[in-house]
Amino acid sequence: MTANQLFIKVIPDENLDIQKISKKIRQLFPNGCQKILLINPPTVTEQDFDLETAKRCAYSATLPYGPALLYAQLQKAGYEVLIADINYELLHRAHHDQNFSYNIWREILNQYIISFKPDLIGISGMFSTMHQCVIEAVRESKKINPE
């Protein structure tokens, strides 16, 4: 089961106003928008990241619940949506990869963007402590796909 399939099963069927979201997307993308990539960036900056802490599983790796709710609604509206849980991928690799480098998250993000080819990228930050991580994810996304 993929992460996206898991999210579909755990989120409630809330009646969000997807028509307003779709209208806004059509306004922002008059030539069309079909593919949307939702990114959950790392929760800890490189300067604050400690590999031993990651190996002890002491960093938060919660499910990106907000993006999952949006995913479900966008999918119902007919968009092709993918969630890239970069935080989980980074922590998983920190725990399992002997040659781990913090900047692997950039390569992971690059792979998602290049393979999925999204028309729109949404980046979520749950806590104010993630502010710099969100900014870095935006910058990296813009480097990979300036459009």
Side-chain angles (χ1 to χ4, degrees), residues 2-3 22 29 42-43 52 56 63-64 100 104 113 115 122 124 128:
T2 68
S22 292
F29 296 88
T43 58
E52 292 308 313
R56 289 193 316 273
L63 290 172
F100 174 79
I104 191 70
I113 293 172
S115 65
S124 174
S128 60

Side-chain angles (χ1 to χ4, degrees), residues 31-42:
N31 295 329
C33 175
Q34 190 56 37
K35 297 172 88 173
I36 301 172
L37 177 63
L38 301 174
I39 298 170
N40 185 41

Side-chain angles (χ1 to χ4, degrees), residues 73-118:
Q73 295 303 316
L74 288 168
Q75 193 175 52
K76 285 179 189 176
Y79 294 97
E80 185 178 346
V81 189
L82 180 66
I83 295 176
D85 192 349
I86 304 298
N87 184 56
Y88 170 79
E89 300 241 10
L90 176 71
L91 295 176
H92 179 79
R93 291 174 192 225
H95 192 74
H96 296 289
D97 187 354
Q98 290 181 346
N99 298 319
F100 174 79
S101 166
Y102 178 87
N103 284 316
I104 191 70
W105 75 266
R106 296 174 194 280
E107 293 175 31
I108 297 166
L109 178 61
N110 191 321
Q111 291 170 2
Y112 274 105
I113 293 172
I114 298 301
S115 65
F116 188 62
K117 297 177 179 65

